[in-house]
């Protein structure tokens, strides 16, 4: 007897990074500079408009910069649904480690939350991957060296198509 096939939740997500709706461009903040000299916050690296597209459309989100963490910054993306349901908001964590540490080693530390082996992403920084962290979420991780430090970003996102994870990894690689 064969096992039943269970479909994973899928959302339809348009491309990241640009705002195709020109009428909304007045309310959409400009994209952050590519690879700033110094990282001073996480939220500007992945804007609300990027997160909305990543999660399949407009979900009336807001981004809130958290308290700085050791060597980095944290941004929480929440929606009205998150606030009232108790569902944990999506999180972006950006770490800048002084020196020339291996991005792959830095990412390996973050895979401890993965429930499945991480899938490598080519063409996004020096090291990038994604993995499932629970039945609803995927962790996208990117690491690269620049400006005298190793920069690592990890963002947990709602489960969707693999090409969306690749797209967000490449977007973060440009902006780190």
């Amino acid at each position: 007897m064969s096992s039943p096939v269970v479909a994973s939740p899928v959302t339809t997500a348009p491309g990241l990074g640009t705002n195709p709706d020109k009428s909304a461009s007045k309310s959409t903040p400009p994209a952050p500079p590519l690879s700033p000299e110094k990282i001073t916050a996480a939220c500007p690296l992945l804007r609300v408009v990027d997160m909305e597209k990543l999660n399949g459309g407009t979900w009336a989100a807001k981004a809130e910069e958290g308290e700085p963490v050791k060597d980095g910054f944290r941004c929480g993306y929440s929606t009205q649904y998150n606030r009232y349901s108790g569902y944990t908001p999506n999180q972006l964590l950006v770490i800048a480690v002084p020196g020339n540490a291996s991005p792959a080693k830095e990412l390996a530390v973050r895979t401890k939350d993965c429930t499945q082996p991480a899938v490598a992403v080519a063409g996004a920084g020096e090291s990038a991957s994604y993995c499932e962290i629970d039945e609803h979420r995927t962790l996208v991780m990117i690491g690269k060296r620049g400006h005298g430090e190793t920069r690592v970003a990890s963002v947990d996102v709602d489960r969707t198509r693999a090409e969306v994870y690749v797209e967000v990894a490449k977007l973060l690689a440009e902006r780190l």
Side-chain angles (χ1 to χ4, degrees):
M1 185 163 145
S2 64
S3 299
V5 175
V6 179
S8 298
V10 174
T11 58
T12 303
L16 296 171
T18 59
N19 182 2
D21 180 7
K22 304 295 184 222
S23 65
S25 63
K26 290 181 182 168
S27 63
T28 302
L34 300 181
S35 192
E37 185 70 32
K38 181 168 177 59
I39 295 176
T40 57
C43 290
L45 297 175
L46 192 61
R47 302 167 303 156
V48 169
V49 68
D50 299 321
M51 198 59 145
E52 287 175 339
K53 289 176 184 175
L54 175 63
N55 282 318
T58 303
W59 39 257
K62 72 175 195 171
E64 189 172 331
E65 193 72 32
E67 291 293 319
V69 295
K70 183 180 180 334
D71 295 325
F73 302 92
R74 183 180 304 274
C75 184
Y77 301 88
S78 62
T79 64
Q80 188 173 26
Y81 174 76
N82 296 134
R83 292 187 290 275
Y84 295 111
S85 70
Y87 189 64
T88 306
N90 298 99
Q91 297 281 321
L92 169 64
L93 176 65
V94 178
I95 303 286
V97 179
N100 198 26
S102 164
K105 272 188 175 177
E106 293 295 324
L107 291 187
V109 171
R110 282 147 187 83
T111 61
K112 67 177 176 33
D113 294 327
C114 297
T115 61
Q116 302 288 323
V119 176
V121 174
E126 289 179 57
S127 185
S129 59
Y130 63 89
C131 65
E132 292 179 13
I133 53 177
D134 66 31
E135 64 182 301
H136 303 288
R137 299 230 178 154
T138 298
L139 185 65
V140 179
M141 301 163 282
I142 164 69
K144 71 182 231 182
R145 290 173 237 211
H147 305 287
E149 55 195 11
T150 299
R151 296 175 172 188
V152 175
S154 58
V155 60
D156 67 283
V157 297
D158 298 340
R159 285 192 47 200
T160 186
R161 301 176 324 274
E163 60 265 21
V164 176
Y165 309 140
V166 171
E167 193 172 352
V168 76
K170 289 180 178 181
L171 180 69
L172 283 170
E174 288 177 358
R175 293 181 181 174
L176 270 183

